[in-house]
Amino acid sequence: MRIFREAIACQLMSRSGHLTPVPPLGAIVVGTFAMPRGARFDWHRHGVHQLAWASQGVLTVGACGSTWVLPPSRALWIPAGVRHRTGSTSPSTMRSLYFWPERCPTRWTAPTVVAVCGLLRELIGYLAGEAVPDDTRAHAEALVFGLLTPLSVTTIDPPAPCDERARAVAEAVLADPADGRGLDAWGRVVGASGRTLARLFVAETGMSFGRWRGQVRLRAALPLLAEGVAVATVARRVGYATPSAFVAAFRKAVGVPPGAYFARGGSR
């Protein structure tokens, strides 16, 4: 009966990415989803907690005004009721853990990044199996809860300006972060002076255009780095003159260099 009910739950999840709660006898159900590059589960919410994780590839999860890029070393805890969307930037296998709140000791109320160590990976794979005895499942679930270790992670989410001229510049930079034109040059494109655009970016995004563009470049770099693209190549693609300049900007924004951020062990 337990296996049958969990199979139904996972089947319902796999159809749309939305979860229809069919409680298992344990506390956790694991759903596995093959996601080609660019696949997306659009905005939705669950009545249960979720841990979104890619056993292969890279996930992006948007929630609460932020976006997280998740290589296999990191997962995102999404509390029940939080509206979110999930996508893949490369061919990925998403393994989502769903936690029934009344049986879950974790009480995080906001999206929280957690480290995925080797033992947690193995436990997720074990719980995804079809014939897990009830007693060993209980032990495995207890270990999972004990291994949910939060990471302090800075999200990079440059806000969009509202003024149509500044917004046109922002959209162009988002489409090509390596574009190095300054505000005077952009002003000739959108019909505003460089000084006006500078004022609009500060007033509407809370940061100078240079800082805002730096945030865009770093956000564009994250999926590439997560896929294992070389730092020098990433730096060039997003508009940095040298790899060292890119690494310095990344460290300043995130607190660690790219290699440490995407380390398989998930250290921060």
Side-chain angles (χ1 to χ4, degrees):
M1 177 64 72
R2 174 183 56 78
I3 295 172
F4 176 73
R5 296 181 76 188
E6 290 186 5
I8 292 175
C10 290
Q11 183 180 26
L12 289 170
M13 288 185 287
S14 66
R15 290 175 181 168
S16 65
H18 298 218
L19 179 65
T20 300
V22 180
L25 294 184
I28 302 172
V29 163
V30 180
T32 302
F33 311 91
M35 299 182 68
R37 182 189 297 271
R40 174 174 291 180
F41 294 126
D42 211 347
W43 292 104
H44 63 285
R45 67 186 82 224
H46 304 302
V48 296
H49 306 312
Q50 178 185 4
L51 187 71
W53 173 60
S55 59
Q56 295 180 333
V58 181
L59 296 181
T60 59
V61 180
C64 302
S66 294
T67 301
W68 290 265
V69 177
L70 305 170
S73 61
R74 294 164 185 257
L76 184 70
W77 175 272
I78 306 168
V82 170
R83 188 168 177 265
H84 61 282
R85 64 181 178 183
T86 306
S88 58
T89 63
S90 63
S92 303
T93 299
M94 180 173 74
R95 275 195 161 164
S96 280
L97 283 70
Y98 298 91
F99 303 81
W100 267 254
E102 65 272 17
R103 305 175 189 177
C104 178
T106 302
R107 296 288 185 261
W108 299 331
T109 59
T112 302
V113 175
V114 303
V116 180
C117 63
L119 178 55
L120 183 54
R121 292 172 62 95
E122 293 300 320
L123 288 166
I124 293 171
Y126 178 72
L127 290 172
E130 295 184 356
V132 182
D134 290 342
D135 55 347
T136 56
R137 167 174 286 275
H139 289 302
E141 290 181 348
L143 282 172
V144 168
F145 290 125
L147 290 170
L148 295 181
T149 304
L151 293 175
S152 176
V153 173
T154 301
T155 58
I156 301 174
D157 294 288
C162 297
D163 180 273
E164 63 180 12
R165 296 161 297 178
R167 187 170 65 249
V169 175
E171 290 172 352
V173 174
L174 286 166
D176 181 13
D179 193 317
R181 281 179 285 183
L183 286 180
D184 287 338
W186 281 117
R188 291 190 288 272
V189 174
V190 301
S193 69
R195 180 175 294 182
T196 295
L197 289 174
R199 176 179 55 78
L200 287 170
F201 267 90
V202 171
E204 298 188 356
T205 71
M207 59 186 77
S208 69
F209 173 71
R211 184 183 170 201
W212 183 89
R213 181 166 60 185
Q215 293 275 295
V216 169
R217 288 175 169 177
L218 290 175
R219 189 174 69 175
L222 285 172
L224 299 173
L225 292 167
E227 290 180 41
V229 178
V231 168
T233 301
V234 174
R236 183 176 65 254
R237 287 188 188 179
V238 300
Y240 285 88
T242 64
S244 59
F246 168 69
V247 170
F250 191 98
R251 182 192 289 271
K252 182 177 180 180
V254 178
V256 294
Y261 187 87
F262 288 101
R264 186 173 178 83
S267 60
R268 173 66 168 82

